């Protein structure tokens, strides 16, 4: 059951982070995020028919992604956890083919991030030695989320 709608500011964080941490054309990122946004809204609307849900048009959604200045996530661990949250904010049985293709891209990105993280650090991205447990399971990060990917590095920072 989809319990909440992912906010636009979360998609902005995600958009900027995919551009920062992942080599993917801007238009592809916008299309994928728009499809997943509409999937989240459709799934939420299915479970909550009494609540009016209004979708942005693709051009308006893309304009907001480009022109709002929310920062990207600080680490690839935050990005991964946000992608997980987005994946769990939809149900494949309620999605269109276009939305399913976007979900498949999201899963490929997650697998690639996992692989690259393991190659860089020698541990899984969700290992308890990473800051995975300190990152929020949402698209909008908390203000005091870690700025480094490895837990022992974060604990030793003066601002932690």
């Amino acid at each position: 059951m989809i319990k909440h709608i992912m906010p636009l500011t979360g998609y902005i964080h995600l958009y900027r982070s995919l551009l920062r941490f992942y080599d993917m054309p801007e238009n592809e990122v916008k299309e994928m995020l728009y499809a997943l946004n509409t999937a989240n809204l459709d799934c939420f609307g299915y479970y909550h028919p009494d609540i009016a849900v209004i979708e942005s048009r693709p051009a308006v959604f893309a304009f907001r992604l480009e022109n709002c200045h929310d920062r990207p996530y600080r680490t690839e661990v935050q990005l991964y956890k946000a992608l997980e949250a987005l994946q769990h904010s939809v149900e494949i049985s309620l999605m269109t083919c276009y939305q399913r293709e976007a979900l498949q891209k999201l899963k490929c990105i997650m697998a690639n991030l996992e692989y690259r993280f393991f190659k860089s650090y020698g541990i899984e991205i969700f290992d308890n030695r990473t800051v995975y447990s300190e990152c929020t399971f949402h698209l909008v990060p908390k203000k005091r989320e870690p700025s480094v990917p490895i837990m022992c590095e974060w604990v030793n920072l003066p601002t932690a």
Side-chain angles (χ1 to χ4, degrees):
M1 176 182 212
I2 307 306
K3 296 183 180 179
H4 63 277
I5 294 173
M6 293 294 188
L8 181 60
T9 55
Y11 288 99
I12 296 164
H13 288 290
L14 195 51
Y15 171 71
R16 293 188 175 279
S17 300
L18 285 168
L19 295 179
R20 176 181 177 195
F21 292 111
Y22 199 77
D23 186 28
M24 190 172 170
E26 286 182 44
N27 285 341
E28 240 183 90
V29 175
K30 289 176 202 166
E31 288 174 18
M32 179 188 77
L33 293 180
Y34 180 74
L36 293 169
N37 171 255
T38 59
N40 173 247
L41 295 174
D42 293 347
C43 293
F44 180 86
Y46 177 82
Y47 286 110
H48 306 280
D50 52 319
I51 300 173
V53 177
I54 300 170
E55 293 180 4
S56 295
R57 290 176 302 168
V60 173
F61 186 82
F63 178 82
R64 288 185 175 167
L65 290 180
E66 292 170 357
N67 294 296
C68 291
H69 300 290
D70 291 311
R71 66 173 174 77
Y73 303 124
R74 293 181 181 130
T75 69
E76 56 268 56
V77 178
Q78 281 179 301
L79 172 58
Y80 184 84
K81 192 111 179 220
L83 291 171
E84 272 188 325
L86 185 54
Q87 179 183 357
H88 285 87
S89 77
V90 297
E91 280 188 30
I92 198 158
S93 63
L94 302 174
M95 296 170 73
T96 66
C97 288
Y98 173 68
Q99 293 167 338
R100 288 179 185 179
E101 286 174 13
L103 182 61
Q104 190 59 43
K105 277 185 192 174
L106 179 134
K107 289 178 180 181
C108 288
I109 291 168
M110 290 175 66
N112 188 277
L113 286 172
E114 283 181 47
Y115 174 76
R116 289 182 358 195
F117 192 87
F118 186 80
K119 291 295 277 180
S120 294
Y121 298 99
I123 55 176
E124 302 289 342
I125 201 165
F126 39 78
D127 189 281
N128 62 2
R129 292 173 286 177
T130 71
V131 294
Y132 181 86
S133 64
E134 298 299 318
C135 297
T136 188
F137 188 70
H138 202 274
L139 299 186
V140 180
K142 296 180 282 188
K143 290 184 192 242
R144 298 212 4 99
E145 284 195 25
S147 57
V148 294
I150 305 299
M151 184 63 83
C152 65
E153 293 173 357
W154 186 56
V155 171
N156 293 327
L157 284 175
T159 57

